[in-house]
Amino acid sequence: MSSLILLSSPPSNLHHLRLRPNVYKYPSPPPMSILRHLNLRHYRRSFTSISAALRQDTTLWTQAPLIVLQKAAESLFHITIDVSDSPDLISSHTRPGQYLQLRLPEVEKPSFLAIASPPSLSSSKGEFEFLVKSVSGSTAELLCGLNEGDVVELSPVMGKGFDIDQISPPEEFPNVFIFATGSGISPIRSLIESGFSASKRPDVWLYYGARNLQRMAYQDRFKDWESSGVKVVPVLSQPEDRWKGERGYVQAAFARAKHIFNPLSTGAVLCGQKQMAEEVTSVLVAEGVSTEKILKNF
């Protein structure tokens, strides 16, 4: 292993010193306390940069081709990555709600993306699916501008995902409320399509919020989700005048519904905007639902 040698530059306040005959034949060095102060700041900056580089180098990146890129809604894209040549990566996806880092080979900064597809799809088809929000100036924006066949780099799968064991078996937790906003529906899709025994629970509701229908992804999947036992309630904060469904925010729509449930047999799953998650959690806890039964993927 090669060694790193750090050389500090001469302090700027010594540039005025010059050797002059009979005056400064051997200029006196500045006090060591000054040198230590100046050099310490230089070393700190150097070590910080080196440490950051070493931390990044510890991530194991797997290259894989992009095979599907389709518009899912306004500013949202459906992306599929072929990971069939990476069995270790596939086997690490064990729970809905897990995520990973994705980056482009020429772009150092990665994006954190929740896996939208259920683990069963990873194992059966060797694919990871994502719902990506294109944000100006971000790696996600560059990703949404790629072409099919372009190569990306994936980190190992991360996170604990949704701990469904906390609200199992289904007969003991018949009431489950699911809340999502914006691209937060991505890991919720993984949960619903993984099959968490929704059909065995008589009262499962999904409150899904977006600005309008143009920004609401996965509308084509609602019927399948309903048939699996999940009642879908779209909530639009800025709908068109002809919209007949729920208006406003998810937490308000849930409060208006006035569900009757036993808090001891109720679970919840949340993903999305921070204020929504905090307010929904406060409502559920105030009703007596245990925080251990309110699942998040982080």
Side-chain angles (χ1 to χ4, degrees):
M1 180 181 292
S2 59
S3 301
L4 292 172
I5 301 176
L6 301 178
L7 299 177
S8 61
S9 303
S12 59
N13 62 345
L14 299 183
H15 291 167
H16 68 283
L17 294 178
R18 297 289 186 273
L19 291 176
R20 292 181 294 175
N22 303 320
V23 179
Y24 290 114
K25 185 175 182 180
Y26 297 103
S28 300
M32 287 302 296
S33 60
I34 297 177
L35 282 175
R36 283 196 297 268
H37 177 70
L38 292 170
N39 290 344
L40 183 58
R41 287 187 298 176
H42 176 79
Y43 292 152
R44 282 175 177 167
R45 288 194 297 268
S46 300
F47 281 126
T48 298
S49 299
I50 293 171
S51 297
L54 290 175
R55 284 197 301 271
Q56 291 179 349
D57 288 343
T58 61
T59 302
L60 177 64
W61 295 97
T62 299
Q63 292 194 335
L66 185 154
I67 57 175
V68 175
L69 194 155
Q70 298 173 339
K71 192 164 186 178
E74 185 179 318
S75 300
L76 293 172
F77 290 83
H78 177 74
I79 290 176
T80 303
I81 308 295
D82 181 1
V83 293
S84 57
D85 290 335
S86 307
D88 290 343
L89 191 60
I90 293 172
S91 62
S92 65
H93 184 207
T94 58
R95 274 184 177 176
Q98 289 181 300
Y99 57 91
L100 50 69
Q101 297 180 76
L102 187 151
R103 71 179 187 182
L104 280 60
E106 302 301 323
V107 180
E108 183 177 347
K109 186 176 181 180
S111 282
F112 284 84
L113 298 175
I115 302 174
S117 49
S120 59
L121 184 68
S122 306
S123 58
S124 64
K125 298 182 66 176
E127 296 175 359
F128 284 165
E129 295 182 358
F130 304 92
L131 182 67
V132 182
K133 182 178 182 180
S134 179
V135 178
S136 179
S138 69
T139 299
E141 181 185 37
L142 297 176
L143 175 62
C144 295
L146 295 181
N147 296 310
E148 294 178 4
D150 287 343
V151 172
V152 299
E153 295 182 339
L154 307 176
S155 76
V157 175
M158 309 164 68
K160 62 180 182 179
F162 297 120
D163 188 4
I164 300 302
D165 290 341
Q166 290 292 331
I167 54 174
S168 297
E171 56 270 17
E172 293 184 13
F173 294 91
N175 306 104
V176 176
F177 299 107
I178 307 171
F179 304 89
T181 55
S183 59
I185 194 63
S186 177
I188 296 301
R189 176 204 151 191
S190 180
L191 170 70
I192 294 173
E193 297 182 6
S194 292
F196 66 106
S197 302
S199 61
K200 297 181 181 179
R201 307 174 194 260
D203 206 28
V204 180
W205 296 79
L206 166 62
Y207 285 85
Y208 175 17
R211 179 177 296 179
N212 50 47
L213 286 177
Q214 289 70 42
R215 294 201 174 194
M216 181 166 279
Y218 298 145
Q219 295 178 54
D220 58 330
R221 296 177 178 270
F222 288 177
K223 287 185 178 179
D224 288 339
W225 293 356
E226 292 263 6
S227 65
S228 72
V230 179
K231 305 174 187 69
V232 181
V233 182
V235 184
L236 306 182
S237 60
Q238 297 179 23
E240 297 179 351
D241 292 339
R242 61 183 179 181
W243 173 248
K244 302 301 182 182
E246 289 288 345
R247 295 170 176 260
Y249 296 105
V250 161
Q251 54 270 41
F254 174 64
R256 287 194 297 268
K258 292 182 170 52
H259 291 278
I260 299 174
F261 57 88
N262 179 353
L264 299 180
S265 60
T266 296
V269 186
L270 293 82
C271 189
Q273 202 263 348
K274 181 179 179 181
Q275 182 178 351
M276 177 277 290
E278 290 177 346
E279 292 185 10
V280 167
T281 298
S282 295
V283 170
L284 291 171
V285 170
E287 292 289 337
V289 179
S290 169
T291 55
E292 294 181 354
K293 309 304 178 185
I294 302 174
L295 310 184
K296 302 174 183 178
N297 66 327
F298 56 88

